[in-house]
């Protein structure tokens, strides 16, 4: 705890500084404990110190505030600044500013040869083309593999009857191996040859009749196909082929002979020069499209199936592995393409690092490049730009004060001059709640922004003053002088005559020459409490007793915890009447043995604290650094 300074000012102040927060409930508990200790103390005194005399110690009420002043110094840095660095070691092709120039956001600062970017982008473009070709090939391969996978299931191309099944489950087959035959004999066809003399009379859809000698029946048919072949009979007749299709009532089989004729629109019958035999409407050998082991044979000879029915299944595990590998390759290639495209985009964006413009308005502080010269290394500082409209300083606030600092709080800033000081009003714009420990004391950095409109330069030392706590003024009394009595919270006032508002207490409670005066209290800090009513400033009040040894002995005085409890006297009734919320009364509060009797209201009891040395180089790092 720092001692109060005595400073001649018109408006005295008392610090609100405390070493730790002291909750009201805890204060009440300590007060009750104090009362017990005090009672025990009186018993011990009666037993061992009957011959001792007691000296009443006093202090005087004063007038002031309960504020705390935090002071310190800091070095100004711009609230907004940018440092630009060279993009590479290529030649500086132009410099358009000098130190001290004022620029606006968007103004060109300097340019640098960016031909290396063109070469870099061209390499990425070549890489991208190669990757895209790889992706296209892999996609084609995947499509082929998926098609082959679908061929592993051999299905019926049309509805019909299965014959001549040649394999069983578990057999290994090669691509093209015959597995069975599928026949559609629900209809039959008869191909015959007619003389070209009838060429103009025959057409598809023409009605026909087919005589089956073995069945002794004639069935109706329709011309379904005409082929203009050139077949010559033994008699020398040139003929073309005509195919007639007819429904199979169930008795027609492949190879039966049929004598057919065609019916003209006039009802005339045209007979063929060469007759034919019946054939199924459709017949196809079912073959394996892939090599592998048959995992399923789903049909038997003479089984009727419909179009799309799965007849055979060939193991495709090898193909599935190839598909997975190809898909993985496609994914990896797509990722590489994306990465390469991002590299191209990044390279294009780098052009702004070669054509550098001001991101903020402000003043050019330094130019470190020259036109026609190449930087020694990439990242060399080229231009430093400060916006001097507002400056910042960093202040380290003691852990005991940080709770009193809030965002937006005003701060008095002073720049000392040879003839006069310049004052600014700053604002708290950032508060760190992570402490920095220095010599066993924790400090919290805060940022103070100073709107100076260019009047302050960077690197200038300034002092700051932050006032926290209640700045309103009133009558103040030492907390050690408050007494809790049966008549409420009182001050024992020293007076020659009884004050009008004095109250009577039981004998022995009030020291001789003092009167108990009820008071209404307000906010307080660790040492003082504001008196709202009951006494005025400049009144001498009792705080505690000092013990004097018997004649011939050494003088003794209470100290430590005894002083604190004795200072509270009979203040065992809890919180004093009228104490404002948030200004809890603290036990113990004598000022190193008490202020001299008769101290006047002209005393300055304001509390000043000097913050830890602040880091003076807080700055915003430029986006280009």
């Amino acid at each position: 705890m720092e001692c109060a300074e005595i400073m001649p000012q018109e408006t005295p102040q008392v610090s609100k500084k405390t070493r730790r927060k002291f909750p009201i409930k805890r204060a009440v508990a300590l007060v009750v404990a104090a009362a017990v200790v005090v009672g025990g103390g009186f018993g011990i005194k009666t037993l061992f110190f009957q011959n001792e005399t007691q000296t009443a110690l006093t202090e005087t009420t004063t007038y002031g505030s309960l504020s705390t002043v935090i002071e310190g110094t800091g070095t100004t840095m711009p609230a907004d600044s940018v440092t630009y660095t060279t993009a590479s070691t290529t030649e500086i092709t132009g410099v358009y500013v000098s130190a001290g120039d004022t620029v606006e956001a968007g103004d060109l600062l300097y340019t640098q040869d960016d031909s290396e970017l063109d070469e870099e982008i061209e390499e990425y473009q070549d890489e991208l083309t190669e990757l895209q070709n790889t992706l296209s090939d892999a996609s084609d391969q995947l499509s082929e593999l998926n098609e082959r996978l679908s061929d592993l299931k051999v299905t019926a191309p049309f509805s019909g009857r299965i014959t001549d099944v040649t394999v069983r489950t578990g057999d290994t087959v090669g691509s093209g191996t015959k597995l069975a035959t599928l026949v559609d004999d629900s209809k039959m066809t008869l191909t015959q040859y007619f003389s070209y003399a009838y060429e103009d009379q025959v057409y598809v859809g023409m009605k026909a009749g087919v005589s089956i000698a073995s069945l002794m029946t004639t069935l109706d048919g329709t011309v379904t196909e005409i082929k203009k072949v050139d077949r010559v009979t033994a008699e020398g007749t040139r003929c073309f082929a005509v195919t007639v299709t007819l429904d199979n009532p169930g008795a027609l089989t492949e190879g039966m002979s049929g004598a057919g004729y065609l019916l003209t629109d006039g009802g005339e019958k045209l007979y063929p020069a060469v007759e034919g035999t019946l054939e199924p409407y459709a017949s196809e050998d079912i073959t394996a499209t892939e090599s592998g082991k048959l995992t399923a044979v789903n049909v038997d000879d003479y089984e009727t199936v419909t179009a799309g029915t799965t007849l055979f299944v060939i193991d495709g595990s090898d193909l599935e592995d190839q598909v997975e590998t190809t898909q993985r390759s496609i994914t990896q290639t797509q990722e590489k393409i994306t990465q390469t495209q991002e590299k191209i985009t990044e390279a294009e964006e780098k052009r702004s690092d070669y054509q550098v413009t001001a991101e903020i308005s402000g003043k050019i502080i330094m130019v470190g490049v020259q036109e026609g010269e190449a930087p020694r290394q990439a990242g060399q500082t080229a231009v430093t730009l400060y916006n001097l409209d507002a400056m910042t300083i960093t202040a380290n606030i003691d852990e005991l004060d940080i709770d009193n600092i809030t965002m937006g709080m005003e701060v008095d800033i002073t720049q000392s001059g040879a003839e006069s000081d310049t004052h600014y009003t700053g604002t708290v714009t950032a508060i760190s709640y992570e402490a920095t420990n220095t010599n066993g004391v924790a400090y919290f950095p805060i940022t103070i922004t100073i709107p100076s409109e260019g009047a302050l330069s960077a690197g200038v030392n300034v002092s700051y003053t932050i006032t926290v706590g209640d700045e309103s003024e009133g009558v103040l009394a030492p907390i050690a002088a408050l007494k809790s009595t049966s008549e409420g919270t009182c001050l024992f006032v020293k007076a020659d005559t009884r004050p009008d508002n004095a109250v009577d207490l039981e004998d022995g409670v009030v020291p001789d020459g003092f009167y108990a005066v009820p008071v209404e209290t307000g906010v307080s800090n660790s040492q003082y409490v504001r008196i709202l009513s009951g006494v005025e400033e400049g009144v001498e009040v009792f705080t505690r007793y000092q013990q004097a040894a018997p004649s011939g002995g050494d003088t003794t005085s209470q100290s430590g915890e005894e002083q604190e409890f004795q200072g509270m006297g009979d203040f065992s009734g809890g919180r004093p009447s009228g104490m404002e919320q948030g200004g809890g009364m603290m036990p113990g509060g004598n000022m190193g043995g008490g202020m001299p009797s008769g101290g006047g209201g002209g005393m300055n009891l304001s509390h000043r604290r000097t913050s830890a040395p602040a880091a003076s180089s807080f700055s915003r790092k430029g986006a280009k650094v």
Side-chain angles (χ1 to χ4, degrees), residues 14 28 66 71 80 87 99 107 114 174 190 195 243 267 270 307 323 391-392 437 471 482 499 575 581 584 587:
V14 176
V28 172
L66 298 176
E71 297 177 326
D80 200 3
D107 287 352
D114 62 355
L190 176 65
S195 172
T243 299
L270 303 178
V323 167
M391 307 301 288
T392 64
N437 197 290
E471 294 187 64
L482 293 176
R575 180 179 177 186
Q581 184 68 26

Side-chain angles (χ1 to χ4, degrees), residues 105 209 380 439 475 481:
Q380 175 181 326
N439 297 327
V475 177

Side-chain angles (χ1 to χ4, degrees), residues 184-248:
D184 179 6
D185 56 1
S186 61
K187 295 181 179 182
M188 302 298 285
T189 62
L190 176 65
T191 300
Q192 301 175 98
Y193 292 87
F194 289 82
S195 172
Y196 268 99
Y198 303 135
E199 178 181 7
D200 295 337
Q201 300 180 56
V202 179
Y203 57 90
V204 173
M206 189 177 186
K207 291 182 179 181
V210 178
S211 176
I212 308 299
S214 61
L215 299 178
M216 294 183 296
T217 184
T218 299
L219 301 174
D220 294 332
T222 303
V223 176
T224 55
E225 186 177 17
I226 299 171
K227 293 182 179 180
K228 297 297 182 67
V229 297
D230 193 5
R231 180 175 180 175
V232 180
T233 66
E235 291 79 15
T237 303
R238 291 180 60 249
C239 301
F240 62 94
V242 176
T243 299
V244 174
T245 300
L246 63 158
D247 291 334
N248 186 355

